[in-house]
Amino acid sequence: MPELVLELNGRTWTLDPSRTYTLGRDPQGDLAIDDARVSWRHATISWGGRGWVIEDHGSTNGTYVRGQRIQQMEIGPGSAVHLGNATDGPRLSLTGAAAQQAPAQQAPQQQGGPGWAHQQHQQPHNQQPQRQDWQQPPYQGQPQPQAQHKAQVQHQAQHQPQAPQQGHIPPQQHGQVPHQRGAGAPSAYGDRSPTTFHQFSLGHVMRIGRALENELVVSDLQVSRLHAEFTATPDGRFEIRDLGSHNGTYVNGQPIAKSGTVLLGPNDIVGVGHSTFRLVGDRLEEFVDTGEVSFSARHLTVTVDGGKQILKDVSFGVPEKSLIAVIGPSGSGKSTLLKALTGYRPADQGDVLYDNRNLYKQFAELRQRIGLVPQDDILHKELTVKKALKYAAKLRFPGDTAEAEREARIGEVLGELKLDIHKDKKITSLSGGQRKRVSVALELLTKPSLIFLDEPTSGLDPGMDRDVMQLLRGLADDGRTVLVVTHSVAELASCDKLLVMAPGGSVAYFGPPEEALNFFGYSTWADVFSAFENYRDYDWAGRWRGSQHYQMYAADIDAVAAQSVAMPTAQQMRPPKPQSWGSQLWTLIRRYVSVIASDKGFMGLMVVLPAVLGVVSVVIPAKFGLGPPEAPARFNGAAGTILLILTVGMCFTGAANSVRELIKERVIYERERATGLSRSAYLMSKVITLGVITAFQGVIICGIGFAPRALPAEGLILPPAVEMCLVVIALGFTSMMFGLVISSLVKTAEKTMPLLVMFAIVQVVFTGILFQVYDSPGLEQFAWLMPSRWAIAGAGTTLNLSTLMAPWDQDNPTNLDPLWEHAASQWVIDISVLLLIGVVCGIAVSRLLRRHEPEVMRN
């Protein structure tokens, strides 16, 4: 097994055939190559049995031999390999050991460590960083940083090697870790080699889409079958035309009109799904977002009403394939930071860069490459795992996606997260960790490159906590950048970087998690958090910026001034709807029906409740009170009381159907709204489904309540039973809309029941049955807002209730309630006003839903 000598940038190393060597930007790798075009873990070199083999590990910009991009290839003396670019990328020259005039330093054998660079010279994350002479807060009652520890740290720092030795690859400066590709470039991917090239000729049309008949086929379910087309015009210019795509076509991050055309300039970037295109001369360059993207925040500041800053000048950067944890005490701005990083609530100052692209400016395009898993499950727990993913895929993928394509993607995600054995189980039957996996699976459907998670281990036991963090570690290793906000500190060692937020919303630390406790001078995180609480006014951010860690891990990012970017309009920031309004409505109705049908207890209650209320009205004696002797024998003076029971019962039933529906789905709605869900389609799915259920319940109440009663022989327009049943159904609909108003107002589901009871009691008082309401200034006008007032009036008009009940004014028996006039026109007015109140409630619900949406989606 011959030894191989590798030369890079004037240095040489002798490779040992008994081990494998890792190449990339990772400082823990065997060959740490400080070049932005090189991926974090780019490739490996190993002895393959017959010869040396280099294998590319899914790098973004590729590995090249003789100008050709390779995946795996045998190499030997005389070979030359370029990383990141076929012509000017870092060049690895390979020779035999005997060919070297001066013997290269033998690379030490790996003995459990990550590589020889790690063994010869400890990386910064294994050193105790030298402390600066900052002022420590008076840690009264807290463990004091030991003086001998500080002396030991300084001793180690003094004895660090001052220059790298022959055969040693110097560690990458951690302040440069984020490596924003082409940070100064005017456009994204400015220094990355294209994935593929496509040649243009004058008059040529190149169509892009998912279907095989396109000239440029993009295998991405976010792309429509016929998505867009490039055209080279006779005058030498180029244009892009959208072909009515579902998820939109973007130029420089801004959506173009559906079926619209835009002329392209030399620096314009066209986005289609996860692919980006750039015209260079007559050549179309394609860049595919494989998930290996860098991400950084620069000087993020959020100010609320009153000028108070709840997020203060937060800057940090992370490389591709990284897992970053964010921890901090309550009030440290973790949730605000998460909203700023995802674009849900853009920061008032600062930038968020997704692979050197401004997220805020290009949110409409980039939002489909970002996944967010909130703290609460974004699932309907009554559904099975596969059915929940099926409806999510239906809503998120383009309308022309075939059922087989969606099923295939669901199968891939279930297999990746090891959920395929649970796919037919109801989500309610899964453990907390498994439910969190399903939430992650839902986000992975669209193959996001960047995933955010908010408290994914909240409420889980230590074992599940570890399982979830191992899951996130795997997601990062598979080619995604993962950022998790957490209160758990037990599994921080699995993360690449740790961001510690201080009270007030500033950065207290950013760097490797294993160095954090030494940085703060404590032995446990409980002590650190106690210090945060006891010394909330201490300048934790100043301490951080004055430290050596800051220079190593954040100075380069922080030194870059925030870009001055003109924010796009709200319309430009809102993503397009992947489905048509009608398609979304139909999918939402089917999902809602499936959720209701899976809850047998709720279905039984929907039938029992109106039946019981109908029976209650039947037990009222047939004759009591005052009424004209000629009144029907079984519907005399008790008519008002019977109508009161039926209408109040319908009010309660209709409102009870809907009073919890919006609050229990609030987290789901927030997330789906950010992915393009139509607010009106969502609301209409509730109105239609609950409206049908409420109408069915109205028929049950009327059928039981009116069956034993003698009704008038003729109605005003329709048979009397039909007229009164329509009024009761209209009342149920309007009460259901009132329930939606309550559900959109409250912050917790527990508050809905008291408001529901209050609503029902108020309806009893203002029906006009218990006391005279008309001719009472102020009281009469207020009663007009009550659905029960108009429902009693509509049914009373049919029954001629004024003649069945004793007049309120015995001295003036002709002074009757005008809303009870026995006339067809009055019946129409009563039921129309009743429905109008329901419509007004619907408009109010639509406006109230805005409060629970990402700010970029509000209109």
Side-chain angles (χ1 to χ4, degrees), residues 374-488:
Q375 180 176 349
D376 297 324
D377 293 328
I378 47 176
L379 317 148
H380 290 89
K381 299 178 183 179
E382 301 84 359
L383 301 178
T384 64
V385 171
K386 187 173 182 180
K387 187 171 287 188
L389 295 180
K390 171 186 172 183
Y391 286 121
K394 180 70 174 174
L395 287 171
R396 297 192 182 194
F397 289 142
D400 59 4
T401 306
E403 182 77 17
E405 292 177 301
R406 290 195 297 270
E407 292 285 341
R409 180 56 190 156
I410 292 171
E412 291 174 4
V413 172
L414 290 174
E416 180 180 0
L417 298 183
K418 298 180 176 59
L419 287 169
D420 41 359
I421 60 175
H422 304 294
K423 63 181 181 181
D424 295 321
K425 296 180 181 178
K426 282 190 176 184
I427 297 173
T428 51
S429 67
L430 301 179
S431 66
Q434 290 169 342
R435 285 202 300 271
K436 192 58 63 176
R437 282 179 177 265
V438 179
S439 293
V440 174
L442 189 150
E443 291 300 313
L444 291 185
L445 288 173
T446 55
K447 297 184 178 180
S449 304
L450 186 62
I451 303 177
F452 294 91
L453 299 99
D454 187 10
E455 301 284 358
T457 60
S458 177
L460 301 184
D461 61 48
M464 290 183 180
D465 182 0
R466 180 180 59 192
D467 292 343
V468 171
M469 293 302 291
Q470 288 177 348
L471 165 67
L472 302 184
R473 178 71 264 172
L475 293 178
D477 292 339
D478 288 342
R480 305 174 182 92
T481 301
V482 182
L483 188 146
V484 52
V485 175
T486 180
H487 279 300
S488 174

Side-chain angles (χ1 to χ4, degrees), residues 91-110:
R91 185 178 189 270
L92 308 178
S93 299
L94 308 174
T95 59
Q100 295 295 321
Q101 297 297 326
Q105 177 172 334
Q106 179 71 26
Q109 296 295 321
Q110 186 179 23

